[in-house]
Amino acid sequence: MMTRRPWYATVLMYAGLAFFLAFLGFPLVWLVSASFKSSQELNSLAVNLIPAQWDFSNYAAALERQNLIPAAANSLLVSVATMIITVLLSMPMAYALARLQGKLRAAGTIWILTSQVFPSILIIIPLFLLLRTISLNDTLLGLILVYVTFTMPFTLWMLQGYVAAIPVELEEAAEMDGANRFTILRRVVLPLLAPGLVATAMFTFVSAWNEFFLALVLLQSPELYTLPIALRSFLGAEGQTQLGPLAAGAVLATIPSLIIFGILQKKLTGGMLAGAVKG
Amino acid sequence: MSITAERAQKPPQKVRQIGARTRAQRKEAIALVVPALLPIIIFSVIPLVSGVAIGFTDATLKRNAEINFNGFENYIDLADNQRFWGSFGIGLIWSASVALLTLVCAMCLALLLNSDLRLKGVTRVLALIPWAMPPVVIAIVWRMIYNPNSGPLNGMLEWFGLPGVNWLGDFSTALPAVIVVGVWSGIPQTTVLLLAGMQAISAEQHEAAAVDGAGVFRRFWHVTLPALRPVIFAVTSLDFIWQFNSFGLIYVLTEGGPGGQTMIPPLFTYLEAFRNREIGAASAMGNVLVVAILIILSLYLINQFRQNKGARA
């Protein structure tokens, strides 16, 4: 039936495709190109995607001047810790959610979904006070604990979907052989869940790596800044911003999540609706 | 919601009951749930409840300051706060425009990606870029693009001999400019979900319509669109709520400026709490936002419920 499409419709569709390619791709291309441009070129209105002169010094300047290396180290630490703790804590509960019946399961599901629509601004004020009370404000540990809590609804949702896909019969067979619940979890469920765990862990990592708002509120000491906060402080007053190093830093911050999204792009289906990354 | 809808299409899984049968099994269930429940209660449920309470106090961020309950004073003050309600209106414009424009763009893109065109693979991967980029980086790039003195947008205007525009600094262009960024960053997610919905529509339906002589547009209108209705509704209402709650993008792009033209409620509340240090008043604002969102959410749930009932009848 597609062959019956008139030629002008095909032209129109390719034009549409080209528009989206340009619209969606342009900002990244511009950013990468800006990260190699000299400051004179960056401060002119010339529209060229390929730098007139390739300037590699922006990357060195970004890493040196604005302390992006410690910030990247903070981000890496926070993201990896969040990833590990979240997955470890979520797995048992996701299993329970997937295999539970009735009211508890419904309550869990409703909580997971509503937690996605509550504004973080409401929770951040009492959370800030709570962390101050237990002396965890302005620490990376405090930030990690908050990230774990905030990414959990999403990881629970994703993981319980993966558990539900494992046939119950396998577990029942193991039970017949006399295995108890935890042996079944470790020997039967865990190996089958491995791909799901990896995907969930990667998403958790990206969420923590990209997160901005909670880190902005909870971290005050510049030496604790994560990469997004450090980049934002880079912006400074308009006019004083060093655009080249800023663009280089932004490229570096994007690379890890771009790689992970590239790996996971086939898995991006309905499960992402619960979206972990909130603006 | 589309996830549940998608799951419901799979053959029903046998669900095994854990807990509630014997004491030992109940213990097992508790052991499974507690590790995750503990941080959720401490860092999510307790703050949520105390956030409501703080909204009825005169709390500030000053250390050792006395905190007194002051009843509905914050809410009475808020009723008069023109700037807050102004931000509320801007927030509604912002989230409605982003949600609807994202839907239109994502629908077009999903239709293109669902067709027999070449280059789909490349486009599919490229279309995910905004999704992978950290929101701060998105805001930084678009600030560069909108920059009146060195941005490519004004560069192109100059090319055509047109005068430059101070996109993010001008009263009339600031809000549309941030809306474009919101749409840009929202397209991937919506496209992926619509595409998933489209692929669930059987080819026979299209063929049957084609045999009946329906053209491309009529097939879209009478086959694709009705089948996608639940997905469209779920995605758009969720997107609306997410945008209403969003913070980072506009904070880095404009900080609510110029003159409050892009000041959305979460940003307003943040500034009240952490710049003016009035956390009692800010919590009251947060509570008003939650009530607004709950109203939107209940409208959504009522609609969902009606649809389910209609499907069963």
Side-chain angles (χ1 to χ4, degrees):
Chain A
M1 62 192 200
M2 291 299 188
T3 49
R4 261 186 266 149
R5 194 170 54 214
W7 64 270
Y8 56 83
T10 310
V11 171
L12 213 65
M13 284 168 80
Y14 275 110
L17 210 57
F19 164 78
F20 277 112
L21 271 178
F23 180 51
L24 294 168
F26 178 76
L28 184 71
V29 175
W30 182 260
L31 178 70
V32 174
S33 130
S35 72
F36 291 109
K37 282 179 183 168
S38 67
S39 63
Q40 295 112 291
E41 199 179 349
L42 276 170
N43 286 312
S44 76
L45 274 176
V47 190
N48 32 337
L49 285 178
I50 294 161
Q53 265 180 324
W54 290 81
D55 188 344
F56 292 89
S57 66
N58 290 328
Y59 284 85
L63 296 176
E64 255 170 53
R65 251 181 286 159
Q66 298 289 340
N67 290 332
L68 278 197
I69 292 176
N74 289 338
S75 268
L76 195 65
L77 173 73
V78 168
S79 308
V80 170
T82 303
M83 174 180 88
I84 294 172
I85 300 173
T86 305
V87 170
L88 282 181
L89 295 183
S90 306
M91 207 205 72
M93 180 149 169
Y95 174 80
L97 269 179
R99 297 295 197 228
L100 270 177
Q101 266 181 344
K103 283 184 187 145
L104 266 174
R105 188 184 146 78
T109 311
I110 287 172
W111 174 76
I112 287 171
L113 292 174
T114 47
S115 69
Q116 290 302 291
V117 299
F118 270 94
S120 343
I121 185 71
L122 174 78
I123 250 179
I124 195 69
I125 297 167
L127 201 52
F128 179 84
L129 298 177
L130 175 75
L131 288 174
R132 197 166 74 171
T133 314
I134 56 178
S135 297
L136 280 179
N137 68 315
D138 201 19
T139 63
L140 291 182
L141 177 63
L143 189 66
I144 292 167
L145 289 173
V146 172
Y147 278 2
V148 166
T149 315
F150 273 59
T151 47
M152 209 120 74
F154 175 68
T155 50
L156 284 173
W157 185 255
M158 245 180 119
L159 279 178
Q160 69 92 25
Y162 284 111
V163 174
I166 299 174
V168 179
E169 287 76 13
L170 290 177
E171 291 177 49
E172 281 168 353
E175 205 175 9
M176 297 277 229
D177 294 339
N180 67 27
R181 171 81 52 197
F182 294 97
T183 318
I184 294 173
L185 265 180
R186 205 158 41 90
R187 293 275 173 79
V188 181
V189 179
L190 201 58
L192 292 168
L193 205 57
L197 281 175
V198 172
T200 312
M202 284 167 135
F203 277 123
T204 314
F205 178 90
V206 173
S207 313
W209 182 266
N210 289 354
E211 206 285 329
F212 174 72
F213 176 60
L214 299 166
L216 176 76
V217 175
L218 296 177
L219 301 175
Q220 283 97 47
S221 316
E223 67 270 19
L224 294 179
Y225 281 176
T226 54
L227 210 42
I229 307 300
L231 279 175
R232 144 85 191 142
S233 67
F234 224 95
L235 273 172
E238 201 72 55
Q240 292 170 12
T241 308
Q242 299 269 324
L243 285 176
L246 177 67
V251 169
L252 293 177
T254 308
I255 289 173
S257 37
L258 216 53
I259 292 174
I260 290 181
F261 261 72
I263 297 171
L264 289 181
Q265 54 110 354
K266 289 219 169 80
K267 287 184 197 279
L268 298 172
T269 52
M272 276 304 284
L273 191 57
V277 195
K278 286 206 263 179
Chain B
M1 225 148 279
S2 82
I3 323 168
T4 15
E6 198 178 276
R7 202 144 276 144
Q9 284 163 5
K10 289 180 190 158
Q13 272 279 343
K14 210 165 121 193
V15 177
R16 182 159 52 155
Q17 196 167 354
I18 59 169
R21 274 189 300 186
T22 66
R23 214 156 155 206
Q25 277 165 333
R26 205 171 303 145
K27 265 189 194 160
E28 269 176 14
I30 290 170
L32 289 171
V33 166
V34 163
L37 221 48
L38 220 57
I40 286 169
I41 289 172
I42 297 173
F43 295 108
S44 183
V45 178
I46 292 177
L48 202 63
V49 175
S50 54
V52 175
I54 296 170
F56 292 96
T57 69
D58 61 0
T60 63
L61 270 185
K62 289 171 203 125
R63 259 181 199 281
N64 306 322
E66 224 178 285
I67 298 174
N68 301 306
F69 275 90
N70 61 0
F72 283 91
E73 213 172 281
N74 291 334
Y75 295 91
I76 294 164
D77 289 347
L78 201 53
D80 282 338
N81 192 333
Q82 295 300 321
R83 288 176 56 233
F84 176 74
W85 296 109
S87 82
F88 209 87
I90 289 171
L92 289 177
I93 297 173
W94 148 261
S95 43
S97 327
V98 173
L100 291 177
L101 290 173
T102 306
L103 176 68
V104 173
C105 289
M107 183 64 87
C108 294
L109 184 57
L111 284 170
L112 290 171
L113 290 178
N114 200 35
S115 65
D116 58 345
L117 297 179
R118 276 155 216 258
L119 292 173
K120 277 189 311 188
V122 190
T123 317
R124 223 175 264 229
V125 174
L126 273 178
L128 294 174
I129 285 173
W131 207 351
M133 277 166 94
V136 168
V137 173
I138 293 175
I140 288 172
V141 181
W142 280 93
R143 257 177 86 141
M144 293 172 75
I145 291 173
Y146 283 139
N147 189 304
N149 304 317
S150 64
L153 214 51
N154 275 2
M156 279 184 257
L157 287 181
E158 194 193 44
W159 190 281
F160 292 110
L162 295 166
V165 178
N166 187 2
W167 299 99
L168 292 172
D170 196 290
F171 270 51
S172 57
T173 52
L175 187 56
V178 293
I179 288 171
V180 168
V181 185
V183 173
W184 183 81
S185 57
I187 286 177
Q189 204 161 354
T190 309
T191 306
V192 166
L193 293 167
L194 290 176
L195 204 54
M198 282 176 194
Q199 279 159 358
I201 304 171
S202 68
E204 286 94 45
Q205 273 176 289
H206 273 286
E207 271 155 30
V211 169
D212 291 344
V216 178
F217 288 104
R218 292 188 58 193
R219 285 207 302 272
F220 172 71
W221 195 256
H222 293 290
V223 181
T224 313
L225 214 52
L228 283 181
R229 227 192 81 126
V231 183
I232 292 172
F233 194 77
V235 167
T236 308
S237 41
L238 270 178
D239 199 24
F240 179 86
I241 293 174
W242 283 333
Q243 298 304 340
F244 195 70
N245 290 338
S246 69
F247 176 87
L249 211 55
I250 293 187
Y251 177 77
V252 180
L253 275 170
T254 64
E255 277 197 63
Q261 288 300 304
T262 58
M263 185 69 79
I264 55 173
L267 194 49
F268 192 91
T269 310
Y270 165 83
L271 295 175
E272 179 76 6
F274 297 101
R275 273 206 200 146
N276 299 344
R277 303 165 78 80
E278 294 288 344
I279 52 177
S283 294
M285 290 172 191
N287 293 338
V288 170
L289 294 184
V290 169
V291 171
I293 285 159
L294 285 178
I295 292 171
I296 300 167
L297 199 64
S298 56
L299 290 178
Y300 165 76
L301 288 175
I302 289 169
N303 186 296
Q304 193 83 350
F305 180 71
R306 277 211 195 116
Q307 264 183 4
N308 286 349
K309 242 170 103 181
R312 247 178 260 140

